[in-house]
Amino acid sequence: YMTISTYGDRCEEALEAAVSEIERLDALLSVGNADSEISRINAGGSGTLSADTQIMVEQALEIWRTTGGAFDITVYPIMQAWGFTTGDYKVPSKSELQALLEMAGSEKLTLDGFELTLGAGQRIDLGGIAKGYTSDRAEAIFRAVGVESGSISLGGNVYVQGSKPDGSPWRVAV
């Protein structure tokens, strides 16, 4: 779910460009789209990354290192076991979770330039970093086009620029 508002000169141009960029990145990254770059890599165990995906994987691996493994893009099979990706929620057995946890771990990934190889049984999900990256890309479009005022909300990631058209500050609920 996304909400984008733009105000000022060329606001429609900015809005169209931002939506186009968001849709482009979603098509690359969505684990729910069998044709996405991430789904193809998950299915094949390896693949060549686009520039955007390579940047996000590098950033995700850096966050994984700096958090001592608390942020890990290899937990996708665990999220599936709980039903978070399908909405078919369930509590997996301890043995199922243990087996999935043994396969997880970004230390088992190999990133060599634009080539990514997953460890045995691994699948990745960039959802924990993709919305922020996508919001940053849309914000860059706002700035490049010269949007005076606007907001971007991508499922909980919120960016605001300038003030509301009436001059009042934006309010963001947390």
Side-chain angles (χ1 to χ4, degrees):
Y1 181 77
M2 68 177 171
T3 305
I4 304 173
S5 302
T6 57
Y7 304 94
D9 296 339
R10 300 175 61 198
C11 66
E12 287 186 30
E13 177 186 349
L15 180 63
E16 289 175 16
V19 168
S20 178
E21 179 67 355
I22 291 164
E23 289 172 346
R24 183 188 73 79
L25 289 169
D26 184 59
L28 275 178
L29 306 170
S30 174
V31 293
N33 174 358
D35 294 328
S36 76
E37 184 175 320
I38 295 300
S39 291
R40 288 193 313 268
I41 289 169
N42 282 342
S46 65
T48 303
L49 304 176
S50 65
D52 290 300
T53 306
Q54 193 265 357
I55 289 167
M56 280 183 272
V57 169
E58 275 190 345
Q59 289 176 344
L61 292 174
E62 179 61 24
I63 295 168
W64 170 76
R65 282 188 284 280
T66 60
T67 63
F71 180 84
D72 193 336
I73 60 174
T74 68
V75 299
Y76 183 59
I78 298 164
M79 292 170 43
Q80 285 182 303
W82 281 93
F84 295 138
T85 60
T86 62
D88 184 22
Y89 303 109
K90 64 179 181 176
V91 177
S93 69
K94 285 185 179 186
S95 61
E96 181 182 7
L97 280 176
Q98 185 58 40
L100 292 171
L101 284 167
E102 288 176 15
M103 289 186 283
S106 286
E107 73 278 2
K108 298 171 187 166
L109 296 175
T110 303
L111 179 62
D112 184 11
F114 289 86
E115 298 298 318
L116 177 64
T117 304
L118 309 180
Q122 285 190 321
R123 284 171 287 158
I124 62 170
D125 181 359
L126 294 175
I129 196 169
K131 283 192 290 184
Y133 181 85
T134 301
S135 181
D136 287 348
R137 298 286 297 172
E139 178 268 333
I141 290 168
F142 275 24
R143 290 194 188 280
V145 173
V147 169
E148 299 166 17
S149 173
S151 68
I152 303 166
S153 176
L154 303 176
N157 287 358
V158 178
Y159 166 81
V160 296
Q161 181 173 325
S163 57
K164 291 171 145 181
D166 67 2
S168 65
W170 291 100
R171 298 186 108 186
V172 178
V174 179

